[in-house]
Amino acid sequence: MNIVLLDPRQTESELWSISSKRQLEHLRQHVDVQVGDTLKVGIREGKRYLTQIVEITDQVIRIQSIQEESVPKKLPVTLIVALPRPKVLRRLIMDAVTIGVEKIILLHSYRVEKSYWQSPFLQQLDQYITLGLEQAGDTIAPKIELYKRFKPFVEDVLPTLISENYPAYVAHPYVDAKMPYAIEHGCSVIIGPEGGFIPYEIDLLIKNGCQGVSLGNRILRTETAISYVLGRLFSAS
Amino acid sequence: MNIVLLDPRQTESELWSISSKRQLEHLRQHVDVQVGDTLKVGIREGKRYLTQIVEITDQVIRIQSIQEESVPKKLPVTLIVALPRPKVLRRLIMDAVTIGVEKIILLHSYRVEKSYWQSPFLQQLDQYITLGLEQAGDTIAPKIELYKRFKPFVEDVLPTLISENYPAYVAHPYVDAKMPYAIEHGCSVIIGPEGGFIPYEIDLLIKNGCQGVSLGNRILRTETAISYVLGRLFSAS
């Protein structure tokens, strides 16, 4: 947690209040906060501030704003990823948010188990976003969309996301073209499930405007591939 | 698991044997292997082969080699990382190995809890390496070294790793120089603990030849930073 993210309602009085149990525990145990300390705070969907702690009780920490700080920019990228196993979902969303992905699309695919769509973890996406924002020092949540059917998404939605200055790259081990790097435009990045997309899916993606690109002959786990690819694509920024 | 990694002793007869419980379970449950199927296999510290399954029993799967396959190259990088929390260690080592890091150094730092060095997980590094190699399709383990004292490492060991064509970059949020990208030489990459290196440590690293470089104003978790940085540095390869 590199900033404490507050709901706008917590910042309506002159003194702002931190009252979430998770945040209070973190501040007590990991940061050992004291009255007078400064604290970086963000307002969800709003600005970021350096604040000072003016009161600490069991239930609440009260702070006052000292000065505004800048909110980090997002990367101009739509991450389209096959829905991962529930235990990977939290880390994946948190990392994508931390890195600054603008929009996340969770997609069904042949090798995604149907049961993943029933996972209670899918109800907690907003919590994972909060954790990612607090890690990054960001305040603006990315958009998240879920598509439970592969073909209608690829045929009807995906083409509307693609343009000359906003291509879509699908990571695929068996093509010659390499994943580009240091790009200076936005793009969509499509990452398959464990075991990869099946040939039918790759064909459909490419038929609908995606560029199949290789990351070399090492096969990375989904979560690892996401940060590796984003580090590569946006190395110039 | 994208290849099955065997000990050389399992490949001394004409038919090779897969007998590890973990590997047998994976092949039965996730791959549903049958006699006649092909299987990618690597020999630890040796070559990689496409093989065919000739016998499946409860205790063993026997295979015969069909043809040699190429082992992916390593990245010319030494990853020097503050010892992470035990539960992160497995993922971190596995990911670094999967991405192809040539050498990994686990280092103490002020913000590393001393208890981490007592963790039983540190006895399992070889297992984590195996998992990373099997994920990547690699057969050659990276070297791993552990340094429980920061200052002697930085003053006595680190300078011997640095040369004109093999610089050392330390990720540090508060400098102007950016982490380079698409480099065409080897390097060391130094990643701090959660909470970062303390100023004394950063100063000592820089005094001993490291370049402090920034990854932008988002603060990534250690594991995320590793794949993000490696994707960026080696984007041209």
Side-chain angles (χ1 to χ4, degrees):
Chain A
M1 191 195 281
N2 292 298
I3 62 168
V4 178
L5 206 56
L6 298 180
D7 187 279
R9 284 167 299 181
Q10 293 168 276
T11 62
E12 285 169 354
S13 332
E14 197 193 337
L15 292 187
W16 303 348
S17 317
I18 302 169
S19 53
S20 117
K21 205 178 148 204
R22 176 184 64 81
Q23 291 173 334
L24 290 177
E25 274 180 15
H26 177 91
L27 292 172
R28 289 203 184 99
Q29 289 169 15
H30 296 280
V31 191
D32 187 24
V33 287
Q34 307 292 337
V35 169
D37 289 353
T38 57
L39 197 62
K40 290 172 189 290
V41 164
I43 301 180
R44 183 88 187 227
E45 308 308 318
K47 294 178 175 173
R48 231 182 88 166
Y49 298 89
L50 187 67
T51 71
Q52 188 171 35
I53 297 175
V54 294
E55 185 188 359
I56 300 181
T57 74
D58 280 353
Q59 273 80 43
V60 71
I61 293 177
R62 285 189 218 281
I63 53 178
Q64 72 185 6
S65 160
I66 301 177
Q67 66 185 50
E68 199 180 315
E69 295 193 320
S70 63
V71 175
K73 277 191 201 152
K74 293 250 188 275
L75 296 179
V77 65
T78 301
L79 176 66
I80 302 170
V81 60
L83 183 66
R85 279 179 299 133
K87 61 177 281 202
V88 174
L89 182 66
R90 176 176 179 275
R91 255 193 338 261
L92 187 154
I93 296 293
M94 195 179 152
D95 281 353
V97 172
T98 304
I99 292 171
V101 167
E102 212 164 40
K103 183 173 175 181
I104 301 170
I105 292 177
L106 296 171
L107 178 62
H108 190 63
S109 144
Y110 184 79
R111 292 209 175 102
V112 170
E113 283 183 33
K114 290 240 169 76
S115 65
Y116 294 176
W117 290 101
Q118 312 307 324
S119 164
F121 290 106
L122 273 177
Q123 308 306 315
Q124 296 175 26
L125 292 179
D126 197 63
Q127 280 177 47
Y128 307 156
I129 291 174
T130 301
L131 295 174
L133 293 174
E134 287 188 334
Q135 170 70 39
D138 193 358
T139 61
I140 313 290
K143 293 180 196 65
I144 299 202
E145 293 176 3
L146 280 65
Y147 290 92
K148 291 190 192 182
R149 294 174 64 213
F150 183 83
K151 190 163 179 268
F153 170 78
V154 174
E155 291 186 331
D156 304 335
V157 181
L158 184 57
T160 67
L161 302 178
I162 298 175
S163 72
E164 200 182 331
N165 291 314
Y166 204 97
Y169 304 117
V170 55
H172 182 51
Y174 306 118
V175 292
D176 286 334
K178 285 186 176 181
M179 179 74 77
Y181 65 90
I183 63 173
E184 295 185 344
H185 51 78
C187 68
S188 294
V189 175
I190 306 170
I191 307 271
E194 281 179 74
F197 286 120
I198 59 172
Y200 163 81
E201 291 173 330
I202 288 285
D203 292 347
L204 199 70
L205 286 164
I206 290 172
K207 205 159 73 180
N208 283 278
C210 295
Q211 299 175 35
V213 288
S214 158
L215 274 177
N217 49 8
R218 293 179 174 271
I219 302 170
L220 308 181
R221 295 191 301 154
T222 307
E223 322 92 276
T224 317
I226 289 171
S227 44
Y228 191 80
V229 167
L230 294 175
R232 176 184 175 106
L233 282 170
F234 296 100
S235 44
S237 57
Chain B
M1 192 194 284
N2 291 299
I3 62 167
V4 177
L5 207 56
L6 297 180
D7 187 279
R9 285 167 297 182
Q10 293 169 277
T11 63
E12 284 168 355
S13 332
E14 198 192 338
L15 292 188
W16 301 348
S17 317
I18 301 169
S19 54
S20 117
K21 204 178 150 204
R22 176 184 63 80
Q23 291 173 333
L24 291 176
E25 274 180 17
H26 178 92
L27 292 172
R28 290 203 184 98
Q29 288 169 16
H30 295 279
V31 191
D32 188 25
V33 287
Q34 306 293 335
V35 169
D37 288 354
T38 57
L39 197 62
K40 290 172 190 288
V41 164
I43 302 181
R44 182 90 187 227
E45 307 308 319
K47 293 178 175 174
R48 230 183 90 165
Y49 298 90
L50 187 67
T51 71
Q52 188 171 36
I53 297 174
V54 295
E55 186 187 357
I56 300 180
T57 74
D58 280 355
Q59 273 78 43
V60 70
I61 292 178
R62 284 188 217 283
I63 53 178
Q64 72 185 7
S65 158
I66 301 178
Q67 67 185 50
E68 200 180 315
E69 295 191 319
S70 63
V71 175
K73 276 190 201 153
K74 294 250 187 276
L75 296 179
V77 66
T78 300
L79 175 67
I80 301 170
V81 59
L83 184 67
R85 278 180 299 134
K87 62 177 280 203
V88 173
L89 182 66
R90 177 177 178 275
R91 255 193 338 263
L92 187 153
I93 297 292
M94 196 180 150
D95 280 353
V97 172
T98 304
I99 291 171
V101 168
E102 212 162 40
K103 182 174 176 179
I104 300 170
I105 291 176
L106 296 171
L107 178 63
H108 190 63
S109 144
Y110 184 79
R111 292 210 175 102
V112 170
E113 286 183 29
K114 288 240 169 74
S115 65
Y116 293 176
W117 290 101
Q118 312 307 325
S119 164
F121 289 107
L122 272 178
Q123 307 306 316
Q124 296 174 27
L125 292 178
D126 197 64
Q127 281 175 47
Y128 307 157
I129 291 174
T130 301
L131 295 174
L133 294 174
E134 287 188 334
Q135 171 69 39
D138 194 356
T139 61
I140 314 291
K143 293 179 195 67
I144 299 202
E145 294 175 2
L146 280 65
Y147 290 91
K148 291 191 192 181
R149 294 174 63 212
F150 182 83
K151 190 163 178 269
F153 170 78
V154 175
E155 291 186 332
D156 303 335
V157 181
L158 185 57
T160 69
L161 302 178
I162 298 176
S163 72
E164 200 182 332
N165 291 313
Y166 203 97
Y169 304 116
V170 55
H172 182 54
Y174 305 117
V175 292
D176 286 335
K178 285 187 176 182
M179 178 75 76
Y181 65 91
I183 62 172
E184 295 185 344
H185 51 77
C187 69
S188 294
V189 174
I190 306 171
I191 307 270
E194 281 179 74
F197 287 119
I198 59 172
Y200 163 79
E201 291 173 329
I202 288 285
D203 290 348
L204 199 69
L205 286 165
I206 290 172
K207 205 160 72 182
N208 283 279
C210 294
Q211 298 174 35
V213 288
S214 158
L215 274 176
N217 49 5
R218 294 179 173 271
I219 301 170
L220 308 182
R221 294 190 302 155
T222 307
E223 324 91 274
T224 317
I226 289 172
S227 44
Y228 192 80
V229 167
L230 294 175
R232 174 183 175 109
L233 282 170
F234 296 100
S235 46
S237 55

